Amino acid sequence: MGLLECCARCLIGAPFASLVATGLCFFGVALFCGCGHEALTGTEQLIETYFSKNYQDYEFLIDVIHGFQYFIYGTAAFFFLYGALLLAEGFYTTGAVRQIFGDYRTTICGKGLSATFVGITYVLTIIWLLVFACSAVPVYIYFNTWTTCQSIGNPTKTSASIGTLCADARMYGVLPWNAFPGKVCGSNLLSICKTSEFQMTFHLFIAAFVGAAATLVSLVTFIIAATYNFAVLRLMGRGTKF
């Protein structure tokens, strides 16, 4: 067997769907976790600097942010491990690899393992839909704030008074209603929007949202690939051995 023929046989047996899904999963999780962690830190600094001087007002928010950051640590570790396991399962159950060796025979344990991966990945996809939806919330808040700043910077495009255009953190539940000042209006808000902290945090949240979307696409791809691989083992198997 020549080198080219050997490489061709290996490429035929590669689970390309699982490879693409794994790469997309690693990219999405890294983007979501890295950018999300830094964006939460930036949000904490913005709240402390501009929206409230009393620590009791945002003490709960700080606890929530730290909780989300610990969640990000766990998410990164879990998905990198689970993605590697799914890739290994893809190599094991790829029909092309079985065809190369002329053997579709598998164990009951192997079939059960493939079905388990399908079920776990389906549940993870449902959970990640919620994470994806939650990652859109800060993007929405920052976009509204940025839009308000655009109106303040271009007063001819709005009929409202500049002093009445505000960003109220209390309105989104970020701070309690008794927090002071809790909101920033007019030229003060415009100066905040021009700071590098605000711009960086806004873009980091957008990047985290894109990472969550990429991870969701990878999970859907994993479901399709794992379901197909399980079907290959079930329908094309010539026998079962213990």
Side-chain angles (χ1 to χ4, degrees):
M1 183 185 299
L3 178 61
L4 291 178
E5 185 180 354
C6 181
C7 291
R9 289 166 66 90
C10 290
L11 287 175
I12 292 174
F16 291 106
S18 295
L19 285 171
V20 171
T22 302
L24 192 60
C25 180
F26 287 173
F27 168 76
V29 169
L31 194 63
F32 172 78
C33 293
C35 294
H37 183 277
E38 292 304 312
L40 289 172
T41 301
T43 299
E44 179 181 343
Q45 294 173 352
L46 288 172
I47 292 295
E48 292 175 350
T49 306
Y50 301 107
F51 287 89
S52 180
K53 302 298 183 181
N54 186 1
Y55 178 75
Q56 279 71 30
D57 290 341
Y58 56 85
E59 181 179 7
F60 177 73
L61 175 65
I62 299 302
D63 293 337
V64 172
I65 288 177
H66 291 169
F68 272 115
Q69 288 177 332
Y70 284 120
F71 169 77
I72 285 174
Y73 301 148
T75 299
F78 173 79
F79 269 96
F80 277 103
L81 176 61
Y82 190 69
L85 289 175
L86 284 176
L87 180 60
E89 191 266 348
F91 272 103
Y92 174 74
T93 57
T94 296
V97 173
R98 296 291 179 183
Q99 190 173 11
I100 289 174
F101 295 102
D103 179 23
Y104 279 101
R105 187 182 299 269
T106 185
T107 63
I108 291 178
C109 181
K111 292 180 180 179
L113 185 62
S114 296
T116 300
F117 275 118
V118 173
I120 293 176
T121 307
Y122 181 81
V123 173
L124 283 176
T125 303
I126 300 300
I127 295 175
W128 197 258
L129 275 171
L130 299 177
V131 176
F132 175 69
C134 290
S135 67
V137 174
V139 175
Y140 171 76
I141 294 175
Y142 274 87
F143 178 76
N144 278 351
T145 304
W146 177 80
T147 303
T148 304
C149 288
Q150 293 296 107
S151 299
I152 296 174
N154 299 278
T156 57
K157 295 183 178 181
T158 178
S159 59
S161 173
I162 300 301
T164 61
L165 297 176
C166 304
D168 194 339
R170 300 168 300 181
M171 181 176 65
Y172 301 106
V174 176
L175 293 175
W177 282 107
N178 59 353
F180 182 82
K183 66 178 181 179
V184 181
C185 303
S187 58
N188 291 331
L189 178 60
L190 182 61
S191 64
I192 293 175
C193 291
K194 291 181 178 179
T195 61
S196 59
E197 291 85 359
F198 178 88
Q199 295 290 336
M200 180 62 69
T201 303
F202 184 23
H203 288 93
L204 284 173
F205 271 124
I206 293 175
F209 177 74
V210 172
T215 305
L216 182 61
V217 172
S218 72
L219 287 173
V220 173
T221 306
F222 270 132
I223 288 179
I224 297 172
T227 303
Y228 171 78
N229 290 335
F230 177 70
V232 168
L233 294 178
R234 289 280 296 178
L235 301 179
M236 300 184 70
R238 292 198 296 264
T240 301
K241 60 182 179 181
F242 292 95

